[in-house]
Structures are given as structure tokens and as C-alpha cells.
Amino acid sequence: MLGGGGAAAEAAGDYGTALSRIYFAHQRLLALREACDQAFPPQAAANAKAYAVWQSRHKGLLDELEARLSLMIRGASRDEREYMRNVGKYEGSILEYRNGQRDEILAQPRDGMDQACADFRNYLTGSGSDFRKDYAEELRELRKRKLPK
């Protein structure tokens, strides 16, 4: 799951697992983009453009994931003060995960990384990068719980 949520996180069960899978898949995309930007600075603008295309196609889903994460953190918090502490803790864990993923990518041999970054851009802009299809099972689990309006 996303991190220490105690009893509320345990009660979330499959919901928390599903949210973690898809949320961290997005974090891995961001880590790869950051690694490519760091390894090949001249490609950063092309990476940003490709990610913007992907992000615009997934805006509704990304907003939904953020809302669901926020609700899960709120459910694991007794009051507003604890909620704010938990938000910081979760955000720190998420950033630590993404930075770790980026560092793992950068630690790999550079041979072929240029091509991997080009493939990444093509993936983001192509029809094969549809999180709604790739994570359909997880989304079914998440959407068993309706978001408040």
C-alpha cells in the first residue's frame, strides 16, 4: 500500500492495493521521464511534450487518483492536524519511491538508454499507453467506492 495508514489502510484491503498499483505506475513514468531528462538534457523538451500529451489524455484519471489518495489519507487520520502530517508523510514516501526509481534507471549502463528514452516518448504519445486499459482491473476495484461530488 501507499504507506503507514494503520487500521484504516488495513481495512482498505484490495482498494488500497489497487490504488497503489496504478498510482505508483504513474510515479514510475515520472521517474523514467526524470531519468531521461537528466541523462539527455537536450531531449527534455521532447520528453515534456510527450508527457503533456499523455497527461492530457489521462487528466481525468490522474485527478481521480489524487482525489482517492486524499480521501484514503483523510480516512486514516483522526483530525485535520493528523491529516496534514499524514499528507506530508505520504508525499515524502511517494517522492522517495520516485527518486529511487529514477536513480535505479540512471545506474544502468548508458548503452541503449538513448533508444529507451526515445521509445518512452513514443509510448507516451502512442495508443499503447492507456492506463484505463492497462489498469482496468484496479480501476474496477477503485470505482466500487464512489467519490463524493
Side-chain angles (χ1 to χ4, degrees), residues 21-148:
R21 276 194 200 124
I22 192 166
Y23 197 90
F24 282 112
H26 178 233
Q27 295 303 308
R28 284 189 299 277
L29 280 182
L30 292 172
L32 182 53
R33 177 183 164 200
E34 292 168 2
C36 289
D37 288 354
Q38 191 171 333
F40 306 105
Q43 296 177 3
N47 295 339
K49 185 177 178 182
Y51 179 75
V53 168
W54 183 90
Q55 187 179 35
S56 70
R57 283 197 336 256
H58 290 84
K59 182 179 181 348
L61 176 60
L62 295 173
D63 290 347
E64 177 185 350
L65 293 174
E66 289 299 327
R68 289 182 182 282
L69 177 62
S70 180
L71 284 170
M72 195 166 138
I73 295 169
R74 190 162 296 284
S77 305
R78 290 183 301 261
D79 55 29
E80 193 63 23
R81 174 176 268 162
E82 185 177 30
Y83 170 73
M84 294 309 293
R85 258 194 326 269
N86 286 338
V87 166
K89 183 170 60 172
Y90 280 86
E91 286 177 351
S93 294
I94 291 164
L95 184 59
E96 186 177 316
Y97 172 82
R98 188 169 80 218
N99 288 341
Q101 292 290 301
R102 182 201 61 221
D103 293 347
E104 281 182 29
I105 294 164
L106 289 170
Q108 297 175 13
R110 295 279 184 216
D111 294 350
M113 191 166 173
D114 188 29
Q115 184 60 48
C117 291
D119 291 345
F120 172 66
R121 285 190 300 278
N122 291 334
Y123 166 78
L124 289 175
T125 58
S127 61
S129 64
D130 187 345
F131 266 35
R132 287 172 291 273
K133 287 181 185 174
D134 295 343
Y135 295 94
E137 185 177 322
E138 288 84 353
L139 289 170
R140 271 191 298 281
E141 182 63 37
L142 291 180
R143 290 175 177 157
K144 288 178 184 176
R145 293 188 191 180
K146 301 293 182 209
L147 284 173

